[in-house]
Amino acid sequence: NVLQKGTTNGIVTDIDGNFTLSVPLPCELSITYVGYLGQSVKVSFATTPLKIALEEDNEMLDEVVVVGYGTTSRKNLTTAIATVKTEKISKAANSSVASMLLGRAAGLQATVNSTQPGGEINISIRGGGNPIYVVDGVVMPNSSLEVGSGETGLPDGVKRAALAGLNPSDIESIEVLKDASAAIYGIGAADGVILITTKKGVEGKPRITYEGSYSVQKRYSYGMNRLNSQEYMNMVNLFGKENYLFINEQYPYGNVGYDGKWTPVFTSEQIANATTTDWLSYVLKTGQVNNQNLTISGGSKTLRYYLGLNYYDEDGVVRNAGMQRYSLRTNISAQLFSFLKLTTIANLNHNKYSNSTVGGDTGNQGN
């Protein structure tokens, strides 16, 4: 990509790197290519062709990624692995791991199955089924992180997100293992593996970090014009009469004249006295997300610790739809001997959901 700095005037080179770009002189060009260090070139005259060589981005090639059997350098990989760096993702309104993956990795498809607070997001790697989740080396159920969730007796319309008890702010990185790179986990990994590494303590003085955010959710503005009560009742009557004429093959749907026996659903008095209610304003509202995080980490050469506290409160745009989560995650690592290291990880969470159900319709008159 060749771009005149400070403008949108740019062009993509051909396969040999050749390009022609009209710019005012003097100016500065910005040249970038994936996997290479970007370069800026000052141009003061147009007679001599430019010769520009980019250098490989060794820092990107030396990046350490997590694989099923440890860590390795990206330049040594021959299998398909995608890395999601969580520090580049806003976690303000992300209630789950799955919501962080929307549009974040090549070959990974994330589809919102339920827009309820904490609702289900289907994850698919290269069009496969549900991948398996591995959190700090432990294979977790993809339905949720809550132990013994089992049969909850929820309505069919209520779907929970995967790993709903894991705080997104506690995640260090996410690796998406595809093809042969996922084979170490056996036949269960046929649809891929999502490898999650959580944050750990680092050597140094105690470090206290607080992150807080408050977000507002607005419902999409409907562009349709709805009938008021009188218009609706007249429409019901009109449809009822036309239907009566059609069933009885009376004019204009047949050669027989109207027999005058049709009875309207709504009387003239009912129509005149009807009041109009904006039902959408009763059901839909402005929502909010309150997300608060507190972490404490530090340690020495022999003992490292990490403590993460999270309060997440989402009040959805549909009344009586919300989610609250209190979570505590600890990661304590002790180097007992040169050959023995003990790590203890605990994840405690309390999730509270409220999801309203939607009524049906009976005889075109609501429920």
Side-chain angles (χ1 to χ4, degrees), residues 25-303:
L25 298 178
C27 76
E28 192 172 352
L29 298 180
S30 174
I31 296 92
T32 57
Y33 188 74
V34 177
Y36 289 79
L37 294 171
Q39 191 176 137
S40 294
V41 178
K42 292 183 178 180
V43 182
S44 56
F45 50 91
T47 56
T48 305
L50 296 173
K51 291 186 178 181
I52 304 165
L54 299 182
E55 295 181 0
E56 285 186 344
D57 189 351
N58 292 322
E59 183 178 346
M60 180 179 291
L61 292 174
D62 290 335
E63 180 184 12
V64 174
V65 296
V66 181
V67 293
Y69 37 81
T71 60
T72 186
S73 173
R74 180 173 290 280
K75 65 184 178 184
N76 293 330
L77 287 172
T78 57
T79 54
I81 293 181
T83 303
V84 179
K85 292 297 184 182
T86 58
E87 68 268 15
K88 298 180 181 179
I89 304 174
S90 172
K91 306 176 189 68
N94 283 321
S95 62
S96 65
V97 177
S99 62
M100 297 173 64
L101 296 175
L102 285 165
R104 295 292 173 179
L108 186 144
Q109 182 180 11
T111 307
V112 178
N113 189 40
S114 171
T115 56
Q116 298 158 345
E120 182 182 29
I121 297 178
N122 290 331
I123 300 294
S124 173
I125 300 175
R126 290 182 174 174
N130 291 326
I132 65 172
Y133 293 84
V134 179
V135 182
D136 291 329
V138 180
V139 178
M140 304 300 297
N142 60 19
S143 56
S144 66
L145 190 60
E146 294 77 46
V147 177
S149 56
E151 176 57 49
T152 59
L154 293 172
D156 291 338
V158 178
K159 304 292 184 183
R160 298 283 183 247
L163 304 182
L166 189 60
N167 177 20
S169 294
D170 288 334
I171 297 175
E172 183 72 34
S173 69
I174 302 174
E175 319 287 341
V176 181
L177 308 186
K178 316 167 190 175
D179 306 330
S181 58
I184 188 174
Y185 290 101
I187 192 171
D191 293 316
V193 176
I194 295 180
L195 211 58
I196 299 172
T197 304
T198 60
K199 295 178 180 177
K200 302 174 178 62
V202 294
E203 185 178 343
K205 295 181 180 180
R207 182 179 179 183
I208 301 176
T209 304
Y210 167 75
E211 293 178 340
S213 66
Y214 183 86
S215 308
V216 175
Q217 294 180 329
K218 299 283 288 184
R219 66 178 176 89
Y220 187 80
S221 179
Y222 287 91
M224 66 181 81
N225 293 320
R226 297 179 299 278
L227 302 177
N228 61 31
S229 293
Q230 284 75 19
E231 291 170 335
Y232 171 75
M233 297 165 86
N234 283 322
M235 184 66 68
V236 170
N237 282 350
L238 176 61
F239 175 80
K241 184 174 182 179
E242 292 294 321
N243 197 41
Y244 176 85
L245 296 175
F246 176 77
I247 292 174
N248 293 280
E249 297 182 350
Q250 297 177 10
Y251 184 82
Y253 305 104
N255 297 323
V256 181
Y258 173 51
D259 59 10
K261 294 182 179 180
W262 170 76
T263 303
V265 178
F266 298 107
T267 65
S268 300
E269 184 179 358
Q270 287 176 320
I271 295 175
N273 296 328
T275 58
T276 299
T277 303
D278 183 7
W279 293 109
L280 278 181
S281 66
Y282 277 81
V283 177
L284 303 177
K285 60 181 179 59
T286 299
Q288 57 85 27
V289 178
N290 185 11
N291 193 8
Q292 309 295 325
N293 289 282
L294 178 67
T295 62
I296 303 173
S297 63
S300 60
K301 290 184 178 180
T302 57
L303 179 66

Side-chain angles (χ1 to χ4, degrees), residues 315-326:
D315 186 19
V317 295
V318 178
R319 294 190 185 276
N320 301 325
M323 168 191 175
Q324 270 190 344
R325 178 180 63 222
Y326 300 88

